Amino acid sequence: MRVMAVALTLWIAGCSEAPDEGPKDEADTDTDTDADTDADTDADTDADTDTDTDTDTDVDVCSADFTLTMSDGSTSTLDFCQDFAMDATFEFDPDQPPEIRDPTLVFHAINEGNFECSVTVREPSACGDGYYLMDGSSGSVSLTTFDCTDVADPYEGILTSTGGYVRIDTFDAGDTAGDLSDTPLVTTMAGYISVQTDEGVSLTGDFSLVQELIASDAEDADCVVSDGDADGDGALALVFDGDDCDDDDASSTLQGDDQDCDGAETDDDCDDDDPESAIVADDVDCDGVWDWDSVSSGANQSCAIDSQGSIKCWGFDNSGQVSDTPTASGYLQVSAGLYHNCSLDAAGAVDCWGKDTENALLHTPTDSGYASLSVGAYAACTLDPAGAVHCWGRDIDGEPEDDGYTMLSGGERHWCALDSSGTLSVWGGESSDSLIITDVPSDTYQSVSCDSGGHGCALSTAGEIDCWGNDGNGQVSGVDDLDSTNGFTAVGVGSMHSCAIHSTRGIECWGYTRDTPPTGTGFTALGLGSNHSCAIDEYATIHCWGDDDQGQVSDAP
């Protein structure tokens, strides 16, 4: 059942006490200014006890009890029904009682300070008992609070809101069927109001109003009303002061399990009083910072993706490789190169930014559906769903023409890939660097990393590391000095150094490292650049070390 929005206007303003009209004629006990006769001593048909300027009927009945609450907790109780009025139109059906349409209720009151206040309720789509949202889509709440007693200066003015609701409990124009246009109808409306303003002011309370109206025919209206439980799970929606966090989903949690209704139950929520706070899955250490899922380091810049799929880059920014970072979320992978970076979103679309050296940006694929991505110095490559390699930018000799690849890693001179069987393939290189190609190891691997320095390392399924290529700084041969007793879980290479994560989750590096890696255990991922490196720990926090002349370390999130 759809919920129709309700227009509700509240007007509160000051006025003086009613003027003293002086003594009445003792013979005019009914106060109609006409001398009484013997037949007119107990009641006057011209009496207007509700002061609405219309002659009363026997059915004029009003009750209302409202409380105005300010954001500081102070309240003002309003004594309503000193004056009241109701207006409405009706929809007629030959076989049904009239349906009330477009009702307007007006309540005037004298509060403790003897200022007049009024509340006007307008429901343009009202058609029966139930809940009507005040969400601003077709109406709003306005409070004019100038000079209202107990209302402090900061709250005096015209306040507007789109929050809250009106609940109609009784909605009745009698049980007579047919066309009753121009006929007096005794009309009853009763219910509850709960509305709020953006300034933190709220008005709540019960009301009931009965008056005789002259029925005027309204056009048919497509009007529906909510029973407060749209998903039928037996729990009233939160917006109607119930405890159902999501009334469109019968399986959603109740507020008792999810106090801030952010979709995370109490045990999984870092701060269950704040709907903007992170959940444990996104913020393992509950420090209020989104956790980082992956990190990639390029020449002098790094990029990382958080648990929401948002990208953060930092470091050298001479060509927009940091400042032009996409601001959207939903990315699955990011890779940093020499002067440009690329990302892959959930649809498999590629986005690149930074310097367009050798068409590194110009030839970026415009289609989607790619499954993996890696950026080298002047080129980038992707894998399509079949595992075929697609590259752009600087031409790299020997690009594979077959498919079945599952992982890519690129540098300046050569590229690496693993297929579904864990077999390593390497292509590219120059004639003076034949070692890059000829020294490639043979094993079954689970991950591989290649870099612009002309070397690479791969992690076998047994947790062992094999390296090959340029060994000018011991970035290849240094692997032999590692303690491999318990194996490794990750490996990465930079231009002149390499690092690995032990099975004990500690980091060890070799080659020209510029700085020592962070101590301790609990590390899960690596991202190595030219002369700086980064890692992610078990709390999804980023740690960087090495050169910091461009903020590669100090600007890390």
Side-chain angles (χ1 to χ4, degrees):
M1 183 178 290
R2 296 186 296 113
V3 179
M4 299 298 292
V6 177
L8 175 61
T9 302
L10 292 89
W11 172 68
I12 306 177
C15 77
S16 60
E17 298 183 20
D20 184 0
E21 297 180 356
K24 299 291 183 179
D25 186 346
E26 293 182 358
D28 183 20
T29 58
D30 57 12
T31 70
D32 63 356
T33 72
D34 299 327
D36 289 341
T37 65
D38 293 340
D40 187 21
T41 57
D42 53 354
D44 197 315
T45 58
D46 294 332
D48 181 19
T49 59
D50 59 12
T51 68
D52 61 1
T53 73
D54 296 326
T55 302
D56 290 344
T57 68
D58 293 339
V59 297
D60 280 351
V61 177
C62 176
S63 66
D65 183 13
F66 294 116
T67 299
L68 186 69
T69 303
M70 275 56 78
S71 62
D72 63 1
S74 60
T75 62
S76 177
T77 301
L78 307 180
D79 178 17
F80 278 83
C81 291
Q82 299 298 314
D83 185 9
F84 57 91
M86 175 165 51
D87 187 23
T89 57
F90 300 84
E91 184 179 321
F92 300 111
D93 184 291
D95 303 316
Q96 299 292 333
E99 295 182 4
I100 304 172
R101 289 286 184 265
D102 303 325
T104 299
L105 312 182
V106 181
F107 305 91
H108 293 269
I110 307 297
N111 65 7
E112 291 111 343
N114 207 34
F115 286 88
E116 184 181 7
C117 300
S118 70
V119 171
T120 301
V121 182
R122 293 187 178 91
E123 299 170 353
S125 299
C127 59
D129 299 353
Y131 291 86
Y132 297 86
L133 272 178
M134 270 308 310
D135 61 2
S137 60
S138 65
S140 63
V141 178
S142 297
L143 287 82
T144 303
T145 57
F146 293 111
D147 298 325
C148 279
T149 299
D150 299 330
V151 176
D153 291 345
Y155 305 103
E156 291 187 349
I158 299 175
L159 310 179
T160 302
S161 175
T162 57
Y165 64 93
V166 174
R167 187 190 72 229
I168 304 295
D169 299 326
T170 303
F171 206 59
D172 182 21
D175 56 8
T176 302
D179 184 352
L180 302 174
S181 295
D182 301 323
T183 303
L185 296 178
V186 176
T187 305
T188 301
M189 291 189 66
Y192 179 79
I193 298 173
S194 176
V195 293
Q196 307 87 35
T197 75
D198 293 337
E199 293 80 6
V201 178
S202 65
L203 184 84
T204 58
D206 299 302
F207 69 89
S208 176
L209 187 59
V210 182
Q211 282 199 308
E212 186 176 73
L213 305 180
I214 301 299
S216 56
D217 193 11
E219 296 182 2
D220 291 350
D222 181 17
C223 177
V224 295
V225 58
S226 173
D227 63 358
D229 180 19
D231 57 14
D233 62 358
L236 188 65
L238 189 70
V239 70
F240 301 130
D241 293 335
D243 60 359
D244 193 339
C245 288
D246 182 357
D247 207 52
D248 292 329
D249 181 5
S251 64
S252 66
T253 58
L254 301 180
Q255 192 176 19
D257 301 318
D258 177 14
Q259 288 297 315
D260 54 12
C261 285
D262 62 357
E265 295 193 17
T266 300
D267 291 343
D268 299 323
D269 198 332
C270 289
D271 183 356
D272 206 44
D273 294 327
D274 180 8
E276 300 299 325
S277 69
I279 60 175
V280 175
D282 292 330
D283 181 12
V284 176
D285 55 2
C286 287
D287 62 355
V289 178
W290 291 116
D291 291 336
W292 300 101
D293 288 344
S294 64
V295 62
S296 175
S297 296
N300 293 292
Q301 84 279 3
S302 295
C303 297
I305 294 182
D306 69 14
S307 54
Q308 303 300 300
S310 298
I311 300 173
K312 166 74 174 179
C313 295
W314 65 97
F316 193 37
D317 191 31
N318 67 327
S319 300
Q321 57 265 54
V322 172
S323 55
D324 290 342
T325 302
T327 58
S329 59
Y331 290 98
L332 302 180
Q333 188 179 358
V334 65
S335 183
L338 182 60
Y339 297 119
H340 78 293
N341 314 308
C342 295
S343 62
L344 192 69
D345 67 18
V350 179
D351 191 4
C352 296
W353 63 99
K355 190 174 183 178
D356 193 22
T357 305
E358 299 194 36
N359 296 323
L361 301 185
L362 179 63
H363 292 161
T364 300
T366 57
D367 53 350
S368 59
Y370 293 100
S372 184
L373 169 75
S374 182
V375 176
Y378 302 108
C381 295
T382 59
L383 294 177
D384 66 19
V389 179
H390 302 267
C391 299
W392 65 96
R394 172 178 286 183
D395 290 334
I396 304 171
D397 295 336
E399 179 182 324
E401 296 182 356
D402 53 348
D403 55 21
Y405 293 97
T406 60
M407 183 178 184
L408 279 171
S409 180
E412 178 182 358
R413 302 176 182 177
H414 77 303
W415 282 71
C416 308
L418 293 179
D419 66 17
S420 57
S421 66
T423 300
L424 173 64
S425 295
V426 177
W427 68 96
E430 300 172 357
S431 59
S432 61
D433 295 301
S434 59
L435 182 65
I436 296 174
I437 302 298
T438 59
D439 269 6
V440 175
S442 177
D443 202 339
T444 302
Y445 298 101
Q446 57 180 302
S447 67
V448 64
S449 177
C450 295
D451 194 75
S452 60
H455 81 290
C457 295
L459 177 67
S460 74
T461 54
E464 299 176 347
I465 296 174
D466 291 323
C467 298
W468 66 94
N470 187 351
D471 193 30
N473 293 280
Q475 61 265 48
V476 171
S477 58
V479 71
D480 296 332
D481 298 327
L482 303 182
D483 179 5
S484 59
T485 303
N486 297 312
F488 301 90
T489 61
V491 66
V493 301
S495 60
M496 294 182 289
H497 69 297
S498 306
C499 295
I501 298 177
H502 285 273
S503 59
T504 56
R505 300 297 182 180
I507 298 175
E508 188 170 1
C509 298
W510 61 100
Y512 185 50
T513 60
R514 293 292 181 104
D515 201 355
T516 57
T519 59
T521 60
F523 292 96
T524 60
L526 291 168
L528 274 62
S530 293
N531 295 303
H532 76 288
S533 304
C534 296
I536 297 178
D537 67 16
E538 61 186 329
Y539 297 112
T541 301
I542 294 175
H543 303 260
C544 296
W545 65 98
D547 282 0
D548 194 30
D549 56 317
Q550 300 293 332
Q552 304 98 306
V553 175
S554 56
D555 289 345

